[in-house]
Amino acid sequence: MKILIIGSNGALGWELANGLPPLFETEKQPLSVICASHSQIEITNASNTFETIARTTPDVIINCAAFTDVDACETNIDKAYAVNAEGAKNVALAGKNLNARVIHISTDYVFDGAKNTPYNETDPPHPLSVYGKSKRAGEEAVQEINGNYTIIRISRLYGQHKSNFVTKILHIGLEKHAVSVVRDQFGSPTYAADLVRALRYVLSLDLHGIYHIANDGICSWYEWAREIFRLSNIQVSLQSIKAEDFKRAATVPQNSSLNCTKFVQATGHKMRPWQEALEEYLGKYVLR
């Protein structure tokens, strides 16, 4: 199987490029991974996208490229839609031209957060932010253009490549010794290394359609930060605040937790609790 990873220098793309080959080697399944960073492919340019992907002749395209700065999307609307919607459309078209399977990475922010329980794949999307709306437009483009697709919605990703909530909150805590974190917005923190292992099942079992994949469990931003500092044995003054008191450009869901039952039933693989994944991440990559 030849896999093209678009956005290979991003948080998830980097993890996939480095983590997928060893997983397939243990199963003695031949796998060829081709990496394409932003400098190598411009998905907002249709002709560049078609030509670049055609040269690689992939069996599978994993599109990790996205404009993910949620607040910046509010003032860079054209860029958000160019990358997250038009870019997804171009990749889907290129995949269709080559009869290649497209795995598109999406987000929990396609939901409005009004639901009190975790979101299922069948729940109607209703994004609140430009980021969420542009990502939903990308989902729709993939669905309309290429029937050979898998859309993976993820939540609160963190990993060893690129800064993330974990590294940022630790930096603030160590620098200022006091942190205020939102207590009334909930989601499912997801460790990139665990997500790579889950995507191995998506590939091996040839899963199609929409799937939610996140580490097991739900927490607020405050609860996540509290666990980060507890596991790191760092003493800080940690204050919980309401979302309305934390001023930001984008309106984000109060609850964007994901129900991953469909994935578990299809694969027999359940993601471990977010607390266990966080402890491993901190021990292996942050607190060494």
Side-chain angles (χ1 to χ4, degrees), residues 77-98:
I77 298 173
D78 290 345
K79 179 180 177 181
Y81 276 91
V83 177
N84 297 337
E86 192 66 23
K89 176 183 176 182
N90 291 335
V91 172
L93 283 167
K96 182 178 181 180
N97 292 340
L98 296 172

Side-chain angles (χ1 to χ4, degrees), residues 54 89 101 105 121 140 219-220 286:
K89 176 183 176 182
R101 178 182 174 195
I105 306 301
E121 290 84 351
E140 291 173 329
C219 65
S220 66
V286 181

Side-chain angles (χ1 to χ4, degrees), residues 118-233:
Y119 280 91
N120 304 313
E121 290 84 351
T122 53
D123 287 323
H126 185 228
L128 303 174
S129 63
V130 170
Y131 170 68
K133 291 172 182 176
S134 64
K135 288 295 288 182
R136 177 54 185 162
E139 287 186 356
E140 291 173 329
V142 171
Q143 290 175 297
E144 291 170 5
I145 291 165
N146 192 331
N148 190 11
Y149 74 86
T150 313
I151 292 171
I152 305 295
R153 293 184 182 137
I154 64 176
S155 171
R156 299 187 182 184
L157 183 73
Y158 66 96
Q160 61 173 308
H161 188 66
K162 302 288 187 180
S163 63
N164 53 69
F165 179 79
V166 180
T167 56
K168 289 175 181 176
I169 208 74
L170 281 172
H171 176 75
I172 295 171
L174 289 169
E175 182 181 357
K176 299 184 176 180
H177 308 292
V179 187
S180 297
V181 189
V182 171
R183 66 172 179 264
D184 54 353
Q185 290 175 342
F186 300 86
S188 305
T190 303
Y191 181 29
D194 285 358
L195 183 57
V196 170
R197 286 188 279 270
L199 286 171
R200 189 257 297 178
Y201 287 95
V202 173
L203 287 162
S204 298
L205 299 174
D206 198 25
L207 301 185
H208 286 71
I210 300 177
Y211 285 86
H212 292 172
I213 303 179
N215 278 108
D216 192 42
I218 303 167
C219 65
S220 66
W221 294 106
Y222 171 78
E223 290 167 329
W224 191 8
R226 185 177 61 190
E227 188 69 0
I228 291 166
F229 289 120
R230 186 188 73 80
L231 291 170
S232 303
N233 197 28

Side-chain angles (χ1 to χ4, degrees), residues 18 87 98-99 174 209 258 264 286:
N18 288 275
L98 296 172
N99 196 29
L174 289 169
L258 300 175
V264 175
V286 181

